[in-house]
């Protein structure tokens, strides 16, 4: 029985000798089944339980040459130590033998990988930027070609009508530059001047923002079209006093709300022009019937009818001051400056899908503009019409003055107070005490005079009332 | 002679020079997009730099591109270039500090 307490023995042949009857009473009755059971854990546990049990028995168990040795070791162990009790493995989960299970490949987190694929967001971003740049170049070129095509087709007409075609305002001499001003990648200007019946004409080619990818995408939701805006400014003698507009119904409704003069002078809702023969898609805003009769002659009606799809709005006004400006609080209102103007807004057909060839289609519209300039010069209201127009203008001015009365009073009050304060400061700053005294006296006398004047006025009013 | 004058509407004596419209009195005429985008771009670059957020820096780059595309010819190129450089530096700094790829928000 030395062997029983001898940890070092590992001789399998000695097993039988240790079935000692002396210690039979200490042995488990259920040894045999226990043996079988206990045989199992070690082989399984052996490879993975090495960290758990650090005995020499482990050393024998670790030897993986074959099952035989395990079994031998088992027999020894059981008899000697009953080490591999089932209870010992209670908390320990028996993992299935790895021989039958498939290996699970855990994914390495993206940031620990070292491949380009993990940077897919960055690649996406850069691709987006490249797409934006490509679109910028393509859009810019397209707009530039459209502008040039427009100018080429209209150049002859303009040069035969205006002495100055193309001016950017910077050169010393007033010579025609003969080319468009580029304001933006999508807006081109052309200033023409030197003609009878007008001061000058500013043409703005307002193309779509083809150079901005965001805008291109937005336009896929909400289609829009290129526009050509013509603004003719006139001298006083070139136009009589009237306000008139014709255009698509939507445009007329919008302009009536937005434009200062249309709002004040053309109070009625936009009317249909069917009685003159123009299509139903167009509506008219007019100061008075006589004006409409005067403007809508045969040629004008012909122009409007044949190009109704391209006309957004036509606005003739002697009181043009632009859109209504939002007045800020505390700023005294001044009657906005007006200028006699003819405004034309044309839509380029194609809803954005225009090609340079389409620019020729707009040529008749420019003819209409020239015709209108000459016509407006000749259009004069009769006596009745003139009186009505004058009354309208007087009315508008009066309304304006009434509205701003309180504001102007306040402004005058503040100005007076400012003056007083400045005066007092001057007196204070005066170093010479004599002069100081004299200035003070002068100020006092002025105050006195003012007070007396006021009193006189009040007395007069009282007398009148009586 | 007179017939010629009447037929030809041009009058060199009646030439007026071009005056660019005064946008101070009429602010509705101006397109605010390039200015907004410029400001947005700068705000995003600052966020990207300070808070070390990569996506902020990328959006800043986009904003400065959009601002450039919508800008007027009369505008200062220095302003455009400075906002552009700022956004590029925001992107570069974010990656130098943290070379991990950007994770999508979903």
């Amino acid at each position: 029985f030395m062997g029983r307490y001898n940890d070092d023995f590992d001789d399998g042949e000695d097993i039988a000798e240790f079935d000692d009857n002396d210690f039979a009473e200490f042995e488990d009755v259920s040894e045999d089944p226990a043996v079988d059971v206990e045989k199992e854990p070690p082989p399984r546990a052996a490879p993975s339980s090495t960290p758990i049990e650090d005995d020499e028995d482990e050393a024998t168990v670790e030897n993986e040459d074959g099952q035989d040795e395990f079994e031998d070791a088992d027999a020894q162990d059981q008899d000697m130590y009953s080490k591999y009790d089932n209870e010992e493995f209670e908390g320990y989960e028996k993992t299935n033998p790895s021989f039958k299970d498939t290996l699970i490949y855990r994914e390495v987190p993206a940031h620990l990988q070292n491949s380009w694929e993990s940077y897919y967001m960055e690649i996406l971003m850069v691709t987006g930027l490249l797409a934006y740049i490509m679109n910028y170049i393509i859009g810019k070129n397209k707009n530039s070609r459209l502008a040039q095509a427009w100018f080429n087709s209209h150049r002859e007409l303009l040069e035969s009508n205006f002495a100055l075609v193309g001016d950017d305002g910077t050169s010393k001499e007033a010579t025609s530059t003969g080319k468009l001003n580029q304001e933006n990648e999508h807006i081109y200007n052309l200033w023409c001047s030197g003609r009878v019946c007008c001061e000058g004409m500013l043409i703005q080619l307002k193309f779509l923002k083809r150079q901005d990818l965001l805008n291109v995408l937005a336009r896929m939701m909400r289609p829009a079209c290129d526009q050509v805006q013509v603004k003719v400014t006139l001298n006083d003698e070139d136009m009589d006093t009237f306000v008139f507009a014709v255009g698509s119904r939507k445009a007329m409704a919008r302009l009536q709300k937005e434009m200062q003069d249309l709002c004040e002078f053309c109070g009625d809702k936009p009317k249909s022009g069917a009685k003159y023969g123009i299509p139903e898609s167009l509506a008219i805003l007019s100061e008075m019937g006589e004006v409409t009769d005067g403007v809508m002659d045969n040629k004008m009606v012909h122009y409007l009818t044949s190009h109704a799809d391209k006309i957004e709005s036509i606005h003739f006004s002697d009181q043009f001051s632009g859109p209504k400006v939002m007045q800020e609080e505390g700023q005294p209102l001044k009657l906005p400056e007006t200028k006699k103007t003819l405004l034309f807004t044309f839509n380029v057909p194609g809803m954005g899908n225009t090609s340079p060839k389409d620019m020729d289609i707009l040529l008749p519209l420019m003819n209409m503009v020239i015709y209108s300039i000459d016509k407006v010069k000749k259009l004069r209201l009769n006596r009745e019409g003139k009186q009505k127009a004058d009354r309208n203008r007087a009315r508008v001015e009066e309304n304006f003055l009434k509205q701003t009365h309180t504001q102007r009073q306040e402004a005058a009050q503040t100005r007076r107070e400012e003056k007083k304060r400045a005066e007092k400061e001057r007196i204070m700053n005066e170093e010479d005490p004599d002069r100081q005294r004299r200035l003070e006296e002068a100020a006092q006398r002025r105050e006195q005079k003012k007070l007396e004047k006021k009193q006189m006025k009040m007395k007069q009013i009282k007398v009148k009332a009586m | 002679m007179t017939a010629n004058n009447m037929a030809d509407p041009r009058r060199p004596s009646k030439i007026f020079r071009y005056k660019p419209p005064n946008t101070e009195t009429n602010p509705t005429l101006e397109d605010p997009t390039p200015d907004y985008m410029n400001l947005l771009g700068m705000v995003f670059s600052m966020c990207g730099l300070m808070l070390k957020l990569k996506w902020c820096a990328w959006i800043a780059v986009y904003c400065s591109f959009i601002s450039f595309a919508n800008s007027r010819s009369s505008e200062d190129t220095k302003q455009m270039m400075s906002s552009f450089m700022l956004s590029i530096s925001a992107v570069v700094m974010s990656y130098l500090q943290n070379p991990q790829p950007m994770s999508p928000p979903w």
Side-chain angles (χ1 to χ4, degrees), chain B:
Chain B
M1 273 302 212
T2 39
N4 203 8
N5 264 346
M6 277 173 67
D8 184 8
R10 292 177 291 181
R11 296 285 178 273
S13 54
K14 285 188 81 178
I15 286 182
F16 288 81
R17 295 305 301 277
Y18 173 61
K19 263 198 329 242
N22 192 355
T23 45
E24 282 167 16
T25 52
N26 210 345
T28 51
L29 285 176
E30 251 184 36
D31 176 25
T33 309
D35 300 320
Y36 280 158
M37 281 295 149
N38 215 2
L39 182 67
L40 218 60
M42 288 207 245
V43 166
F44 273 116
S45 344
M46 282 291 119
C47 277
L49 273 173
M50 304 292 175
L51 305 176
K52 303 191 187 158
L53 297 170
K54 293 198 177 75
W55 57 268
C56 271
W58 281 108
I59 293 178
V61 175
Y62 271 94
C63 282
S64 79
F65 265 92
I66 295 171
S67 173
F68 173 72
N70 284 295
S71 67
R72 299 169 269 275
S73 317
S74 57
E75 253 181 55
D76 216 0
T77 46
K78 285 195 290 241
Q79 173 92 347
M80 288 295 136
M81 288 310 289
S82 80
S83 100
F84 185 64
M85 287 295 135
L86 184 65
S87 56
I88 296 280
S89 74
V91 170
V92 168
M93 287 307 295
S94 303
Y95 279 93
L96 280 180
Q97 289 166 356
N98 186 6
Q100 295 172 14
M102 202 161 62
S103 56
W106 52 86

Side-chain angles (χ1 to χ4, degrees), chain A residues 80-91:
Chain A
M80 300 314 213
Y81 307 106
S82 310
K83 215 167 240 194
Y84 296 99
D85 263 353
N86 268 347
E87 283 135 30
E88 267 195 272
F89 290 94
E90 253 166 28

